[in-house]
């Protein structure tokens, strides 16, 4: 049941499209309603980063499986200027744009897994994952 | 006993193994029917439909013979787990499950006695080969059954755990959330969700969160408590935290949690009094 | 989708729809600032009941609206934040510390009425 959706991000209105698509896809796994909101919020932040800092890129949404766990992966990819200081960008309150400077660290808090790759002049790729919670003890 | 001469080499052993496998295959219908007759007589198949009995018994029979032939138990494990998951085993008692397989074991065993009754060496070797296989299969089935039971118990524990963190309405606009036992992050998240939905459903303005029953917190849980307070505020409700032990207070400070963001009162009674005062003001001022 | 703004007595009520783009938010900001001045409103309620996601930009705009309307003499109350949305907001780190929040429209109006009453008795 591996499904994949690609949303091109160029305009601010694409942010809404991306999070709606993401929520729809995530509904295939029975995430709780609050987890669905969490996922949609994270997508919104990632898409916003692309619009604000790179001018354009794409969000790839897919359902994933690993060690019997199911989840959703969100890949945010752009060919923008890249991030100079990753450590700084991951700090709360740091922003060079118009948000609250919570975008990246906040997104990390929202999701289970967070990976970021960035190269100056080439672009940034962020991969986040949310796993469906097992009934663990 | 004296089967050294007979089992001189591996080849002979594998030849003999093949002979046993052929024996069980050739007599499949007879032995299977006998098995079903005995288990039915013992009332071990009570919960199954005739169709289930037929297909399951054929598969079980063949799987067991397959284990004997290959010496591998993967198929038996997969099948046993599948049976358990499908709930076929769940509807049956432990006695029925074990009884069924013990009966099958006896049937296989007796057929060997019958076949080799005049050749003691062969009989003894046949049992040497057959018995470990039968025992392994039996333990695989028992384990699958127990694992399934444990899974069900875990689910029930989960349900009880949810029940054990009730959100109580003390009076109009006032909720109480007694948190008992150690919080793990999964449960903490559940708790927050429950509380936030309860605030909305009861139109609560004040929540007394009592953590007297929590022995310790780690940074994740501490953050969660703060997040719960903040999220409640976003819904227009004030949280009064009570029962924070000196140890937990110390932990919170060490972890860098801003205690001024928490509306704290020493004990539960004081907390409820404070909550009622807040409600009395009819206000949102902190 | 443009956010409709209702004038009710001393108050303005803006009901946010489910799909809210950045542009809609900026428009809402401009509209509210303009209307607060024109109607000399004492309070503003932004009802976000229908909103299913609040990201950092939306939160920032709500904060800005609250600050600017305050400078123009009106208190802003954000009402109707859904439980799931509230939870995601705090995880993201959006506490909206300096913005007043209330459960729903009714509670928001009750709060504003009390505030206005409180202010006017002080004036007497």
């Amino acid at each position: 049941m591996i499904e994949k959706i690609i949303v091109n991000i160029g305009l601010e209105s694409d942010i809404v499209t991306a999070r709606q698509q993401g929520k729809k896809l995530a509904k295939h796994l029975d995430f709780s309603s609050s987890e669905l909101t969490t996922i949609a919020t994270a997508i919104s932040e990632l898409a916003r980063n692309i619009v604000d800092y790179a001018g354009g890129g794409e969000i790839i949404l897919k359902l994933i499986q690993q060690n019997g766990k199911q989840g959703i992966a969100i890949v945010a990819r752009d060919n923008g200027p890249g991030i100079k200081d990753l450590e700084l960008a991951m700090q709360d309150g740091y922003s060079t744009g118009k948000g609250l400077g919570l975008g990246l660290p906040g997104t990390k808090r929202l999701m289970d897994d967070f990976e970021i790759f960035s190269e100056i002049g080439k672009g940034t790729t962020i991969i986040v994952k949310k796993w469906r919670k097992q009934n663990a003890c | 006993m004296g089967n050294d001469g007979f089992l001189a080499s591996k080849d002979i052993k594998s030849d003999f193994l093949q002979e046993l496998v052929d024996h069980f295959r050739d007599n499949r219908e007879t032995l299977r029917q006998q098995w079903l007759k005995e288990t039915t007589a013992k009332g071990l198949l009570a919960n199954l439909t005739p169709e289930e009995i037929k297909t399951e018994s054929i598969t079980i029979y063949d799987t067991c013979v397959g284990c004997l032939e290959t010496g591998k138990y993967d198929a038996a494990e997969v099948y046993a787990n599948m049976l358990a998951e499908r709930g076929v085993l769940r509807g049956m008692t432990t006695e029925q499950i074990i009884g069924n397989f013990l009966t099958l074991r006896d049937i296989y065993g007796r057929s060997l006695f019958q076949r080799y009754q005049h050749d003691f060496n062969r009989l003894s070797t046949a049992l040497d080969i057959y018995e470990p296989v039968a025992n392994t299969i039996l333990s695989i089935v028992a384990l699958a059954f127990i694992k399934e039971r444990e899974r069900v118990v875990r689910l029930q524990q989960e349900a009880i755990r949810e029940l054990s963190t009730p959100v109580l309405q003390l009076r109009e606009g006032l909720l109480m959330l007694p948190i008992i036992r150690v919080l793990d992050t999964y449960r903490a998240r559940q708790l927050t969700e429950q509380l936030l939905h309860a605030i909305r459903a009861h139109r609560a303005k004040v929540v007394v969160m009592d953590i007297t029953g929590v022995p310790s917190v780690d940074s994740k849980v501490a953050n969660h408590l703060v997040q719960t307070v903040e999220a409640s505020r976003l819904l227009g409700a004030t949280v009064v935290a009570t029962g924070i032990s000196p140890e937990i207070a110390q932990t919170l400070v060490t972890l860098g949690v801003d205690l001024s963001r928490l509306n704290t009162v020493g004990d539960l009674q004081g907390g409820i009094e404070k909550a009622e005062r807040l409600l009395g003001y009819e206000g949102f001022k902190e | 989708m443009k956010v409709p703004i209702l004038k009710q007595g001393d108050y303005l009520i803006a009901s946010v729809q489910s799909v809210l783009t950045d542009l809609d938010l900026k428009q809402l900001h401009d509209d509210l600032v303009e209307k607060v001045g024109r109607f000399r409103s004492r309070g503003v309620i932004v009802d976000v009941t229908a909103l299913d996601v609040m990201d950092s930009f939306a939160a920032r705009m709500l904060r800005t609206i609250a600050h600017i309307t305050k400078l123009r003499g009106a208190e802003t109350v954000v009402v109707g934040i859904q439980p799931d949305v509230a939870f995601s907001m705090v995880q993201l780190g959006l506490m909206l510390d300096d913005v007043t929040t209330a459960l729903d429209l009714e509670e928001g109006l009750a709060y504003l009425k009390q505030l206005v009453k409180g202010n006017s008795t002080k004036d007497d």
Side-chain angles (χ1 to χ4, degrees):
Chain A
M1 186 188 61
I2 301 302
E3 273 195 71
K4 186 168 155 184
I5 298 172
I6 299 178
V7 184
N8 286 313
I9 306 293
L11 304 168
E12 285 177 343
S13 57
D14 296 331
I15 299 172
V16 175
T17 312
R19 70 186 186 217
Q20 282 175 336
Q21 293 285 345
K23 206 168 175 179
K24 212 166 90 186
L25 184 66
K27 272 186 185 156
H28 287 296
L29 312 179
D30 41 313
F31 281 114
S32 74
S33 70
S34 103
E35 285 169 324
L36 288 175
T37 307
T38 301
I39 292 164
T41 309
I43 295 172
S44 202
E45 291 299 320
L46 291 172
R48 177 169 308 290
N49 259 324
I50 295 178
V51 173
D52 287 357
Y53 298 107
E58 60 184 13
I59 295 268
I60 303 161
L61 308 154
K62 53 188 171 187
L63 299 180
I64 49 171
Q65 272 183 321
Q66 188 187 308
N67 304 331
K69 286 190 299 183
Q70 290 182 307
I72 185 168
I74 300 144
V75 181
R77 185 182 292 151
D78 67 57
N79 301 315
I83 299 171
K84 270 202 203 93
D85 188 341
L86 277 182
E87 211 171 298
L88 194 61
M90 290 307 294
Q91 274 174 21
D92 269 328
Y94 176 78
S95 172
T96 58
K98 49 187 175 166
L100 290 168
L102 292 165
L104 293 183
T107 306
K108 189 177 178 182
R109 278 194 295 270
L110 287 171
M111 305 298 277
D112 293 326
D113 297 347
F114 183 101
E115 289 172 285
I116 182 165
F117 311 94
S118 190
E119 208 174 321
I120 298 294
K122 294 225 169 129
T124 304
T125 300
I126 299 174
I127 303 169
V128 297
K129 290 170 191 158
K130 185 93 185 164
W131 298 105
R132 219 188 69 193
K133 288 284 174 294
Q134 312 281 330
N135 281 324
C137 254
Chain B
M1 294 271 311
N3 50 11
D4 305 350
F6 178 67
L7 263 185
S9 75
K10 268 193 175 169
D11 284 349
I12 295 178
K13 186 173 176 179
S14 70
D15 282 351
F16 190 58
L17 175 66
Q18 194 53 51
E19 189 182 314
L20 292 182
V21 170
D22 291 344
H23 163 74
F24 289 130
R25 290 237 165 92
D26 294 344
N27 296 293
R28 181 169 93 167
E29 261 326 283
T30 328
L31 294 176
R32 192 177 68 85
Q33 289 303 339
Q34 207 180 329
W35 177 34
L36 292 184
K37 213 174 102 191
E38 288 191 24
T39 45
T40 309
K42 290 178 190 164
L44 297 175
L45 298 173
N47 307 341
L48 301 177
T49 65
E51 203 163 302
E52 275 177 322
I53 292 176
K54 187 169 179 226
T55 49
E56 300 300 342
S57 65
I58 290 176
T59 318
I60 291 172
Y61 191 98
D62 290 348
T63 310
C64 291
V65 176
C67 290
L68 179 68
E69 186 175 27
T70 60
K72 294 196 175 93
Y73 298 91
D74 311 13
E77 274 174 33
V78 170
Y79 185 66
N81 288 337
M82 201 180 71
L83 273 180
E85 269 171 38
R86 271 194 347 231
V88 174
L89 297 182
R90 221 181 305 163
M92 299 173 89
T93 64
T94 318
E95 195 191 358
Q96 284 174 321
I97 298 294
I98 305 295
N100 268 311
F101 278 86
L102 282 174
T103 310
L104 181 60
R105 191 194 128 109
D106 289 350
I107 296 221
Y108 285 139
R110 253 180 279 140
S111 81
L112 292 177
F113 272 108
Q114 220 162 32
R115 182 179 172 127
Y116 298 112
Q117 55 187 322
H118 303 302
D119 185 339
F120 186 74
N121 270 348
R122 280 180 168 263
L123 175 62
S124 164
T125 312
L127 290 178
D128 280 349
I129 295 173
Y130 156 74
E131 276 176 344
V133 177
N135 291 343
T136 309
I137 291 173
L138 199 62
S139 68
I140 286 172
V141 172
L143 273 178
F145 181 60
I146 291 167
K147 262 201 300 204
E148 176 63 15
R149 274 283 160 90
E150 280 173 352
R151 197 183 68 84
V152 173
V153 169
R154 225 175 14 246
L155 286 179
Q156 286 167 345
Q157 278 174 343
E158 192 69 26
I160 292 170
R161 195 185 296 179
E162 274 178 39
L163 286 176
S164 69
T165 50
V167 181
L168 310 165
Q169 182 167 27
L170 292 185
R171 51 175 282 185
E172 212 187 309
L174 174 54
L175 294 180
M176 181 178 151
L177 178 73
I179 305 179
I180 307 159
R181 290 184 305 180
V182 187
L183 283 168
D184 54 50
T185 45
Y186 176 65
R187 201 165 82 91
R189 186 189 171 103
Q190 249 184 350
L191 204 80
T192 312
E193 281 178 33
Q194 265 177 302
L195 175 66
L196 294 178
H197 283 100
I199 287 174
R200 194 153 185 87
H202 294 284
R203 305 179 56 79
K205 287 203 187 134
V206 184
V207 178
V208 177
M209 184 169 80
D210 182 59
I211 63 166
T212 312
V214 179
S216 67
V217 295
D218 60 13
S219 63
K220 273 193 168 172
V221 172
N223 266 328
H224 214 96
L225 291 177
V226 176
Q227 284 180 358
T228 305
V229 172
E230 301 288 352
S232 303
R233 199 192 71 84
L234 288 176
L235 298 192
T238 306
V239 175
V240 178
T242 65
I244 299 183
S245 67
E247 290 79 21
I248 290 185
Q250 185 64 46
T251 312
L252 293 179
V253 172
T254 314
L255 292 169
V257 173
D258 185 357
L259 283 178
S260 68
R261 301 185 72 94
L262 285 177
N263 213 331
T264 57
V265 174
D267 62 3
L268 182 55
Q269 192 186 343
I272 292 173
E273 281 164 17
K274 167 143 191 176
E276 297 197 321
R277 273 202 306 281
L278 284 171
L279 282 170
Y281 284 134
E282 272 294 321
F284 303 70
K285 291 253 163 66
E286 285 178 9
Chain C
M1 209 184 295
K2 196 170 179 301
V3 179
I5 299 173
L6 286 176
K7 176 183 175 298
Q8 191 172 8
D10 283 342
Y11 313 124
L12 294 176
I13 301 171
S15 302
V16 171
Q17 311 298 305
S18 66
V19 178
L20 192 69
T21 63
D22 295 3
L23 222 57
D24 298 332
L25 270 165
K26 285 176 199 154
Q27 184 72 49
L28 172 66
H29 169 269
D30 296 347
D31 287 354
L32 278 176
V33 172
E34 187 265 327
K35 285 199 162 75
V36 162
R38 179 143 55 98
F39 298 123
R40 302 168 55 81
S41 304
R42 306 288 299 268
V44 173
I45 290 184
V46 181
D47 186 353
V48 297
T49 308
L51 205 60
D52 64 345
V53 170
M54 173 108 63
D55 69 1
S56 56
F57 181 78
R60 194 181 77 108
M61 285 310 288
L62 287 180
R63 230 164 92 176
T64 310
I65 287 171
H67 290 172
I68 293 187
T69 53
K70 190 157 205 160
L71 290 173
R72 309 208 62 178
E75 179 80 13
T76 292
V77 188
V78 175
V79 305
I81 297 178
Q82 294 294 327
D84 295 340
V85 174
F87 195 22
S88 280
M89 285 173 71
V90 295
Q91 281 177 287
L92 194 57
L94 305 172
M95 309 301 191
L96 284 186
D97 284 342
D98 36 11
V99 179
T100 307
T101 49
L103 189 71
D104 54 17
L105 193 56
E106 196 185 324
E107 295 290 338
L109 280 171
Y111 169 74
L112 284 179
K113 276 188 185 130
Q114 185 152 357
L115 199 74
V116 170
K117 206 170 72 192
N119 284 348
S120 53
T121 44
K122 228 181 280 166
D123 292 343
D124 286 344

